[in-house]
């Protein structure tokens, strides 16, 4: 099953015998809260999920967006109507970063039928709703570990033995600028692979063959692949793009916000070693 779905495919599925649970995960890094935009208009039936409060744990040593407690995440999903046997579709209002975070968490905790709406809300041409749905309680019970996960030490090892992709903007990778974290730069040995290069101008993912060519050129055929970003959000988008391309990748969820908070960890700067 493809991890993405087009707006027309979703429209057909929502009118079928097993309509997907639809989650609205609009979020902007450092921007306004997504709830007002949701209340102003969302795809009919969508349930709002708050990335900062419900798709992440409290910020701290584990980074700005550490993984949420699996049981608490499961409770959020059940309230949204998610069951083990119901398909789930997730969308946001941008390039898919927040939607991919929800996709990754559901997949990591064992849900097998989750897809991201390709192109997000902008791809939807149907009517919008301002009503707040009240779905029946779902039965989803998380079983964490269904997708590979890296901690800081494993990420450092993979940068030496395999391929560790840095999904942030190239200037943050190089250390030219660092608007958020303690220090700029990257994990030594990591390869720059900005997430923005996974999508076209309209926010839709590039075709699978184009993504496969991109990641192959970065070295993904040589062995294990891992991904990190600033705080584990856009990195999930990179994992999703890799899956579209046919690669299985591990996520370093703590990412640069965790790595750079520890002054004992080495920091590399400058251009990509490739």
């Amino acid at each position: 099953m493809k991890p993405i779905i087009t707006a027309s495919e979703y429209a057909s599925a929502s009118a079928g015998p097993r309509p997907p649970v639809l989650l609205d995960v609009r979020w902007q890094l450092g921007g306004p809260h997504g709830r007002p935009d949701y209340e102003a208009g969302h795809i009919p039936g969508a349930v709002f999920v708050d990335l900062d409060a419900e798709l992440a744990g409290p910020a701290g040593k584990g980074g700005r967006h550490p993984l949420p407690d699996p049981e608490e995440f499961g409770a959020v999903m059940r309230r949204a109507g998610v069951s083990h046997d119901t398909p789930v579709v997730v969308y946001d209002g941008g390039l898919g970063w927040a939607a991919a975070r929800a996709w990754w968490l559901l997949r990591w905790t064992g849900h097998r039928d989750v897809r991201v709406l390709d192109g997000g809300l902008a791809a939807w041409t149907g009517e919008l709703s301002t009503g707040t749905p009240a779905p029946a309680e779902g039965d989803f019970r998380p079983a964490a570990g269904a997708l590979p996960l890296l901690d800081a030490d494993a990420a450092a090892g993979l940068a030496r033995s395999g391929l560790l992709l840095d999904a942030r903007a190239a200037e943050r990778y190089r250390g030219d600028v660092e608007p958020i974290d303690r220090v700029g730069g990257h994990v030594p040995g990591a390869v720059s692979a900005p997430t923005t290069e996974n999508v076209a101008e309209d926010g839709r993912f590039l075709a699978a063959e184009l993504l496969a060519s991109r990641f192959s050129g970065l070295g993904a055929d040589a062995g294990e692949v891992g991904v990190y970003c600033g705080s584990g959000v856009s990195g999930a988008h990179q994992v999703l793009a890799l899956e579209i391309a046919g690669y299985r990748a591990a996520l370093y969820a703590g990412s640069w916000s965790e790595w750079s908070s520890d002054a004992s960890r080495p920091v590399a700067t400058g251009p990509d070693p490739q």
Side-chain angles (χ1 to χ4, degrees):
M1 181 186 69
K2 292 192 302 181
I4 56 175
I5 185 171
T6 67
S8 60
E9 288 171 339
Y10 168 73
S12 296
S14 66
R18 294 180 65 239
V21 172
L22 183 63
L23 306 179
D24 183 313
V25 197
R26 275 180 274 183
W27 171 86
Q28 296 181 54
L29 178 62
H33 198 276
R35 182 83 196 197
D37 286 340
Y38 168 83
E39 292 174 347
H42 51 266
I43 299 175
V47 176
F48 181 75
V49 178
D50 186 333
L51 186 147
D52 288 320
E54 298 176 319
L55 301 183
K61 290 184 178 180
R64 283 192 308 281
H65 292 105
L67 298 183
D69 176 85
E71 291 305 317
E72 293 178 4
F73 171 71
V76 169
M77 292 296 102
R78 290 192 296 275
R79 287 195 298 270
V82 175
S83 292
H84 282 284
D85 61 351
T86 57
V88 180
V89 172
V90 190
Y91 73 91
D92 60 26
L95 295 177
W97 292 2
R101 170 73 172 213
W103 167 85
W104 187 91
L105 282 169
L106 278 162
R107 288 284 306 278
W108 176 65
T109 53
H111 203 294
R112 296 183 179 181
D113 192 351
V114 190
R115 287 174 287 178
V116 168
L117 183 65
D118 196 17
L121 183 62
W124 178 253
T125 58
E127 65 177 6
L128 297 178
S129 171
T130 57
T132 302
E137 182 91 358
D139 66 12
F140 178 66
R141 298 288 174 182
L147 290 183
L149 179 66
L150 301 173
D151 61 14
D153 290 339
L158 188 56
R160 296 188 297 267
S161 65
L163 176 66
L164 183 65
L165 296 176
D166 185 317
R168 299 171 301 156
E171 59 267 25
R172 289 185 69 192
Y173 169 90
R174 294 191 301 266
D176 299 344
V177 298
E178 182 44 65
I180 306 172
D181 293 312
R182 185 186 67 84
V183 63
H186 56 270
V187 176
V191 173
S192 180
T195 302
T196 51
E197 296 180 17
N198 294 331
V199 297
E201 291 184 1
D202 62 3
R204 290 179 172 89
F205 281 94
L206 300 178
E209 58 269 22
L210 293 177
L211 289 171
S213 177
R214 180 193 186 205
F215 293 124
S216 177
L218 291 169
D221 296 325
E224 293 183 46
V225 181
V227 178
Y228 74 95
C229 57
S231 64
V233 177
S234 64
H237 187 279
Q238 192 93 290
V239 174
L240 174 59
L242 281 153
E243 181 158 321
I244 294 170
Y247 296 97
R248 182 177 174 86
L251 178 67
Y252 172 26
S255 287
W256 189 247
S257 61
E258 178 189 39
W259 181 279
S260 64
S261 69
D262 183 347
S264 71
R265 295 197 178 278
V267 171
T269 58
D272 195 315
Q274 292 193 348

